[in-house]
Amino acid sequence: MTTPPVQQDPNPNDPNPARSSATLSAFTGQVQRRLGLETESEAEVLTRATLNEFGKAISAGVAQDLTVSLPPELSAELRAQRQSDDQARSVDKPAFVDAVSGAVHSVDAEEVERQVEQVLRLLREWLPEDQVDRTLEQLPGGLAELMR
């Protein structure tokens, strides 16, 4: 399978699925179906916001490793958050969920947590097992639980 080219998205907070790669559409489509979201755009905003924050919680090395298995647009979300020599940053689950909630339609913390959990679990399914293990080792307990 060849990797589709990275699409330039001038406003990542208002994605247009028509400009997204087929792989990104597959990922966000799965998020949309799992959560019963109305539109793929809503699923893409949630996915990007979750991975943006996730990229801040993992080391640059892990972020780089994960990019191989993800759609190019989502890989960019992870890589953009880390300097090449950055270490993992400890973030607790409430702060993580709160940060994602600032970018999505829901303000209900429990609902956003449920949504984030589904995005992270789907991410886990897309990754090779050795990458999952290495990633989980870096995450604080509450955040790791969302991904399990």
Side-chain angles (χ1 to χ4, degrees), residues 32 37 43 45-46 50 65 74 86:
Q32 181 184 4
L37 300 175
V45 168
L46 169 64
T50 300
D65 289 347
L74 298 182
D86 273 353

Side-chain angles (χ1 to χ4, degrees), residues 1-102:
M1 177 178 186
T2 60
T3 303
V6 175
Q7 303 294 319
Q8 295 299 322
D9 190 352
N11 184 357
N13 293 321
D14 185 23
N16 178 349
R19 289 195 306 258
S20 299
S21 72
T23 310
L24 177 60
S25 184
F27 193 99
T28 57
Q30 287 179 357
V31 169
Q32 181 184 4
R33 285 186 296 283
R34 285 181 181 201
L35 292 169
L37 300 175
E38 290 186 27
T39 67
E40 190 172 330
S41 290
E42 187 178 355
E44 188 171 333
V45 168
L46 169 64
T47 299
R48 286 178 184 259
T50 300
L51 292 183
N52 183 297
E53 292 304 316
F54 191 74
K56 295 174 185 176
I58 58 177
S59 70
V62 168
Q64 185 62 39
D65 289 347
L66 298 182
T67 62
V68 175
S69 302
L70 293 175
E73 299 90 342
L74 298 182
S75 295
E77 295 292 340
L78 288 176
R79 284 192 314 269
Q81 302 311 313
R82 309 310 287 156
Q83 299 296 322
S84 62
D85 60 349
D86 273 353
Q87 299 297 314
R89 178 180 64 108
S90 182
V91 60
D92 66 4
K93 182 170 65 171
F96 186 91
V97 170
D98 186 55
V100 173
S101 72

